[in-house]
Structures are given as C-alpha cells and as structure tokens.
Amino acid sequence: MIQAPRLDGRFRLSEIQARELAKDFGTPLYVIDETAFRSRIRRYRDALAASYPRTELSFAAKANSTLAVLAIAHQEGCVLDVASEGELRAALAAGAPGSTCRLHGNFKRSDELDFALAQGIGEIVVDSLDEIEMLAARAFGATRLVLRLAPAVNPVTHEKISTGQADTKFGLGISSGAAEAAVRRCVELGLPLSGYHCHVGSQLLDPEAQLLGGETIARFAVQMAKLHGVTPLSLNVGGGLGVRYVDEEPMEVEEYCRLVAAGVSRALEGSGLAPTLAHEPGRALVAESGVTLYTVGPIKEVDLGRGAQRVYVSVDGGMSDNPRPALYDAAYTVLPLAAGDGPTRKVTVCGRHCEADTMFRDVELPVDLKPGDLLQVLCTGAYASSMASNYNRFPRPATVLIRPDGKPEIVQERETWDQVLAREPIPEDLRT
Ligand code: LLP
C-alpha cells in the first residue's frame, strides 16, 4: 500500500491538478508553487533576522534561474547570487537591478567583470589573487568586493557538492596565507574590500562545517581589521542548508540561523565590528516548492535468475531534465497520483535516454501501474530545470507556476523542435 509521505513542507499536486496540468501542458513538466516558494523565503528571512542584529538573505540563482522564480525572489527582497554572466543577465531580465546582485565564480572572465561592473553589480566575490590583479585597473562605482575564503572545514555531503575543505578550487586559503595576501593587496591597490564569504557545501544535513566556516571567517575578519585596518561590512556564510528528498531530517531553519549567528557573534565578541550577516541559500528556498510530473511508458519485468526479478518503469524524461540521480546518486520521493490501498511492489524508475538512465531506485509503486499513468517526483524545485540538457536531443521541459489563486501559468515554454536544432548551420558543401 502506498502511503502519502507524512506531512512535511514539500509541495505536491493533488490528483485533479496533476491530471489537468498534464493535459494542458504535457509532460515532463516542472511545476513550482508560488505560495510555497514565497513562504519558504519569508520563513528563512524571519529566522535570519531573528538571529542577528543586521542580516541579508540572498537567493542562489543557480538553484533555479527561471525568470519568474528570480522575479519572486527579488520581490521578496532577496539579493540574487549569480554565478555567471548568464545568471546575471537572467536576474536583470527578471527585473532585479545589478545593484541587488552578487557575482560569484572561480573564473570570471574579463568581459564578464566588465559587464557586471557596467550593470553596477552590488558585490563581486573575489575568488583568487589573479582576480584581484584583473580588478586592479577597473572603476567600481558603488560595487563592493568580498573575499571568498576557504575555511578548511570538512562538510558531510556528496564530494561533488563539497567546497569548504582545504583541497578546493574555490576561495583563498587562510592557513596558507593566501587570504591575508589578498587583503594586503586589496588595501595596497585601494580596492573597495568590504567583507568575507565562505560556502562550505550543499545539501548539508549536519551543519557542523557550516558553523565552523562562519566562525572562521569572522575570526579572520577580526584579525584583518587589527592588522590591516579593514572594517568588514558583511560576513557571508553562503548557502548549503539541506532539504528532505526522501526521509532526511534537515535542521529547522530557525535553529540553523541561530547556531550560525551564535558562532559568528562569539568570534566577533569584543572586536567592536558589526558587519551584516548574510546567507545565500538556493536549495533550501526553492527545492521543496517544486515537483516534476512524468508520464509512465513501457513497464518491463526482467528476470534476474533464481526467482529474482526487477521491474523497470520507464518515464518520459530522465537525466536530461534531472541529472542529479546520475551525478550524485540523488534519491527522491516518487508518488503515483493516488495514494491507495492496493498492492504495491518495488520498482526501478528509469528515464528514456540511451543509457541506463536509472532515475529512482526501490520505489514502491502500485502493481497495477500502467503506461499512460502519471507520477510526480517531489522536491525538484532546485537544480533540476537549471541543470537540464538536450542530451539525446530531448527538448527541455516547460515550467508552470501555480499562482497564489491556484491558477497555473506557464513561465518557461517547452523547447520546440526548431529551438532544439536552431544553432547549427550546415556548411554548404555538406548539404545534399
Ligand atoms: N553560494 C555559493 C557560493 C554556492 O556555490 C552555492 C551552491 C550556493 C550559495 C547555494 O547552495 P545551496 O543553498 O543551494 O546548497 N548541483 C548541485 C548543487 C551545487 C551547489 C553549488 N553551489 C546539486 O544538484 O546538488
């Protein structure tokens, strides 16, 4: 028997809604619930504000850079953290002025920096000594610089989304002296250095590394104020708070904010410094507000010998609309439309790409599931549409936003065949 997962913050579609959306917009379909997204942002913002005297919440655009999603985050007062010129252009197109954006990246190209500065970008997070030299000759206007530090903490998460350890391409190491050298160089060049940043990893369920990271950059700020007279206006502890994909128990955001703030306050005690404490989560704000709707295709019962059997249930999407299972062995909650009391069995849900494309393992689904039925996958609001590809020339799915009045509105069209093939002229002599 399938039981609806116990009540939690994750958005899910009702059976009627799912049927209507599939009929009107087709599948695979990303669905984002505006009310759920807004209330997540507000809850995080309130928790952060309650934790510390001056705070700032950003939304990490990489988690979901659909323009309507960025517009909502901007409307809710979030700074937009962008990791590339493309994400900055998306933020601008969504109506966020450059001054409300922060540019990240371990390799910002010179033209990217020029573009960001021309847009009056609020902050640039400087990642290396070479980048300081690139910035040296530029005019900043009101743009501030923040140094990304590598606090050498070891987050408990998948290695591909772990960034706070000593062996990382991101940021400036503290123990190696690179971070202090960067501060000295900024002072020497008269650059508008105004704070420090760290992001130790993503989908963190154990916040220990994050807490250490915050404390470490705050301690560094105190030292740099003493040694080099740099007054930090902001300390940014990045994003990283985990969410529930299946049965994870992420820390409540209130508790998390309180602990981060306590560590930072401890480190700043007696220093007379009063920087703004900034967080820039992506996943924790948008993941649980989204689902992906798929249509079931062929179902196969494969004989594994000795009486064992595996049931493959194929869906009309796969690694091109959600590469997270392939990249990080990510698990998800998969629900048939109705949670009923009929018999169920464990199946492997696979996509329709030309490789194993195993999406979801050991999923309990009704025995009578058949081609044409719908499945919804919870918690796909983050790092699904933003990581989608055209592998096997699949058109990328549409995104529908459920507005506060319950009406669906398309905010990202399904790619057309023309768009899928649009970028490729064929040399004249290859045309037959
Ligand atoms: N700030 C910085 C500098 C970051 O690098 C990231 C994520 C964030 C904020 C937001 O982190 P969040 O709160 O979303 O954990 N594609 C991977 C996640 C990569 C995260 C990269 N950086 C995934 O699907 O799990």
Side-chain angles (χ1 to χ4, degrees), residues 26 90 112 172 176 261 281:
E112 222 164 20
L172 295 142
S176 69

Side-chain angles (χ1 to χ4, degrees), residues 60 62-63 81 104 148 160-161 163 170 197 199 201-204 238-241 245 280-284 324 327-328 382-383 387:
K62 71 204 77 174
D81 144 20
H104 276 284
R148 176 156 180 178
K160 288 184 188 158
I161 50 177
T163 47
F170 289 108
H197 176 284
H199 170 79
S202 206
Q203 183 56 8
L204 302 173
L241 181 60
Y245 284 103
E280 53 183 19
R283 192 187 318 261
R324 300 194 69 259
L327 282 174
Y328 321 117
Y383 302 114
M387 294 177 73

Side-chain angles (χ1 to χ4, degrees), residues 112-356:
E112 222 164 20
L113 288 171
D114 285 338
F115 178 75
L117 286 167
Q119 298 303 320
I121 187 108
E123 268 178 12
I124 295 175
V125 182
V126 178
D127 198 83
S128 63
L129 290 162
D130 286 330
E131 190 180 335
I132 295 179
E133 300 308 322
M134 282 171 82
L135 285 164
R138 289 172 153 88
F140 289 94
T143 300
R144 296 174 308 274
L145 300 185
V146 167
L147 290 185
R148 176 156 180 178
L149 305 177
V153 293
N154 287 318
V156 184
T157 189
H158 193 284
E159 63 165 303
K160 288 184 188 158
I161 50 177
S162 164
T163 47
Q165 65 281 16
D167 182 358
T168 173
K169 70 170 182 175
F170 289 108
L172 295 142
I174 297 178
S175 53
S176 69
E180 184 175 357
V183 172
R184 266 203 314 267
R185 189 69 180 131
C186 286
V187 172
E188 222 166 81
L189 292 167
L191 299 181
L193 176 59
S194 76
Y196 305 98
H197 176 284
C198 71
H199 170 79
V200 305
S202 206
Q203 183 56 8
L204 302 173
L205 297 167
D206 174 349
E208 193 53 35
Q210 183 66 283
L211 305 184
L212 256 176
E215 237 180 290
T216 307
I217 68 169
R219 253 188 276 115
F220 181 77
V222 172
Q223 256 183 336
M224 293 305 106
K226 276 197 201 128
L227 296 175
H228 303 288
V230 176
T231 305
L233 303 180
S234 77
L235 291 178
N236 186 331
V237 297
L241 181 60
V243 298
R244 169 174 298 174
Y245 284 103
V246 182
D247 52 9
E248 301 87 338
E249 298 279 354
M251 182 171 265
E252 297 290 337
V253 65
E254 290 76 12
E255 176 70 351
Y256 174 70
C257 288
R258 196 183 62 70
L259 289 173
V260 170
V264 167
S265 303
R266 240 191 335 270
L268 293 179
E269 211 173 302
S271 68
L273 302 176
T276 296
L277 177 57
H279 286 216
E280 53 183 19
R283 192 187 318 261
L285 297 183
V286 73
E288 296 187 356
S289 320
V291 303
T292 305
L293 203 52
Y294 296 104
T295 301
V296 171
I299 298 174
K300 260 184 210 165
E301 291 166 3
V302 175
D303 186 2
L304 305 179
R306 296 171 193 252
Q309 188 193 54
R310 187 172 330 274
V311 181
Y312 285 99
V313 170
S314 54
V315 291
D316 59 347
M319 62 197 299
S320 61
D321 62 75
N322 185 352
R324 300 194 69 259
L327 282 174
Y328 321 117
D329 288 322
Y332 284 83
T333 300
V334 183
L335 298 177
L337 276 203
D341 50 10
T344 63
R345 58 181 172 177
K346 270 204 168 74
V347 307
T348 298
V349 177
C350 57
R352 62 194 195 99
H353 288 279
C354 247
E355 52 184 278

